[in-house]
């Protein structure tokens, strides 16, 4: 079995870091990504306010009715309910934004004519794909950071305060879901030089994942168990509820690895075509 020396690992890490820095810099210099950030922050802030006021209002109304009719009061974990509902909406917003982030990962290289240079450079396709994925995921996480901060500020004001681990687990699930979607989107962007087509294919992947989740909830027996296990949306929902399972990490990791693997194979095929 071939082994990798310490020097080899350093070279791989340095190559990934070089690609990562180059890609990350491009996100903070292009106006398009500032537009995406502005829309994301506007919608997430608006939805958080709507979810919080709606749930607080509904619970207060329910308490009032129970007092009027003398019914026994039912305890409702309002902060947890707000967090679950908000993260579900945030996941929906992200599903619109993620294909827009992944669509240019390789299509722009094709347009600039730099894909051939990358494919034939000493840096392996695995390193390029990993560096690109880490950079776009870092940009997405940067978008999420202010949103996480105001979740902490608002939900820690309750009595008793919401466990910070629930907030971290839910948002961590969102980042893992984003990594899986971006990885598959990166592979799709490596297949074409059209950013529009890459975005459409990215939305198609999200549709397939959504159908997988629906089928998992509406079928029975072993098929339901298999689909539930394979559904990243199901694992994301579990994490927003504070349910942590090792299988969730395995599933997300498998989707991420699959995307990087397919991307590397796609660029290899591109290089052979050129030769």
């Amino acid at each position: 079995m071939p082994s990798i020396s310490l020097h080899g690992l350093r070279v791989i890490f340095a190559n990934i870091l070089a690609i990562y820095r180059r890609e990350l810099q491009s996100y903070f210099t292009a106006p398009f990504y500032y537009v995406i950030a502005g829309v994301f922050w506007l919608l997430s802030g608006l939805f958080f306010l709507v979810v919080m006021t709606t749930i607080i209002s509904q619970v207060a109304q329910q308490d009032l009715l129970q007092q009027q009719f003398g019914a026994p009061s039912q305890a409702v974990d309002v902060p947890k309910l707000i967090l679950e509902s908000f993260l579900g909406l945030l996941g929906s917003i992200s599903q619109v934004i993620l294909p827009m982030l992944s669509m240019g990962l390789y299509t722009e290289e094709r347009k600039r004519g730099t894909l051939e240079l990358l494919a034939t450079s000493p840096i392996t396709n695995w390193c390029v794909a990993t560096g690109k994925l880490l950079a776009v995921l870092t940009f997405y996480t940067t978008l999420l950071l202010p949103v996480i901060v105001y979740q902490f500020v608002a939900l820690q004001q309750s009595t008793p305060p919401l466990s910070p681990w629930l907030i971290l687990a839910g948002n961590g699930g969102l980042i893992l879901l984003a990594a899986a979607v971006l990885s598959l989107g990166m592979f799709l962007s490596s297949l074409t030089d059209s950013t529009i087509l890459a975005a459409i294919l990215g939305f198609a992947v999200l549709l397939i994942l959504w159908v997988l989740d629906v089928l998992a909830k509406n079928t029975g027996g072993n098929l339901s168990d298999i689909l539930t296990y394979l559904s990243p949306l199901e694992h994301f929902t579990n994490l927003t509820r504070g349910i942590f399972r090792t299988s969730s990490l395995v599933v997300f990791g498998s989707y991420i690895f699959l995307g990087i693997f397919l991307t590397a194979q796609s660029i290899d095929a591109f290089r052979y075509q050129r030769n």
Side-chain angles (χ1 to χ4, degrees):
M1 182 177 176
S3 60
I4 301 176
S5 65
L6 184 60
H7 174 70
L9 286 175
R10 284 178 180 167
V11 170
I12 291 173
F13 181 75
N15 289 338
I16 291 174
L17 191 60
I19 296 293
Y20 171 79
R21 283 176 175 165
R22 191 196 71 157
E23 290 292 317
L24 191 60
Q25 190 177 15
S26 68
Y27 290 110
F28 292 98
T29 54
F32 173 70
Y33 296 107
Y34 283 93
V35 173
I36 288 181
V39 171
F40 181 79
W41 286 330
L42 176 66
L43 290 179
S44 58
L46 187 63
F47 279 126
F48 185 72
L49 189 62
V50 170
V51 166
M52 190 167 61
T53 54
T54 302
I55 290 178
I56 290 174
S57 173
Q58 286 176 347
V59 171
Q61 201 170 19
Q62 186 180 345
D63 277 348
L64 186 62
L65 288 173
Q66 286 171 348
Q67 288 175 11
Q68 286 178 346
F69 293 99
S73 61
Q74 296 177 343
V76 179
D77 192 341
V78 175
K80 189 177 178 184
L81 195 57
I82 291 172
L83 181 68
E84 287 179 22
S85 303
F86 174 63
L87 287 176
L89 285 172
L90 204 56
S92 300
I93 298 171
S94 297
Q95 287 176 29
V96 176
I97 287 178
L98 291 174
M100 298 170 72
L101 292 179
S102 65
M103 66 183 182
L105 285 172
Y106 275 93
T107 54
E108 292 301 323
E109 302 281 3
R110 283 178 182 266
K111 286 180 180 175
R112 292 195 298 261
T114 52
L115 184 58
E116 193 165 344
L117 291 176
L118 274 179
T120 55
S121 71
I123 302 177
T124 66
N125 296 327
W126 283 84
C127 291
V128 175
T130 304
K132 281 178 171 288
L133 180 62
L134 288 175
V136 70
L137 187 61
T138 300
F139 179 74
Y140 176 77
T141 306
T142 305
L143 297 185
L144 205 55
L145 285 178
V147 183
I148 295 173
V149 169
Y150 64 67
Q151 287 174 56
F152 267 102
V153 171
L155 300 177
Q156 290 288 295
Q157 302 303 315
S158 61
T159 306
L162 185 68
S163 167
W165 295 112
L166 281 177
I167 300 175
L168 291 175
N171 287 279
L174 193 56
I175 292 172
L176 287 171
L177 177 65
V181 172
L182 288 170
S183 185
L184 295 175
M186 177 173 67
F187 161 61
L188 296 171
S189 78
S190 72
L191 300 176
T192 175
D193 57 359
S194 168
T195 50
I196 301 297
L197 181 58
I200 292 172
L201 292 173
F203 284 118
V205 165
L206 286 171
L207 181 63
I208 291 170
L209 294 179
W210 178 75
V211 170
L212 187 70
D213 190 58
V214 171
L215 289 175
K217 290 174 179 170
N218 291 281
T219 55
N222 292 332
L223 179 61
S224 175
D225 293 339
I226 294 171
L227 294 177
T228 299
Y229 181 82
L230 293 175
S231 170
L233 296 178
E234 178 67 22
H235 291 283
F236 164 62
T237 303
N238 285 338
L239 285 168
T240 64
R241 294 171 179 164
I243 303 171
F244 177 80
R245 295 192 178 103
T246 308
S247 59
S248 297
L249 296 181
V250 172
V251 169
F252 283 126
S254 300
Y255 278 105
I256 294 167
F257 177 80
L258 178 65
I260 295 174
F261 172 77
L262 292 175
T263 303
Q265 299 308 308
S266 170
I267 302 305
D268 270 342
F270 171 82
R271 185 179 59 186
Y272 292 140
Q273 284 174 359
R274 293 290 177 179
N275 290 337

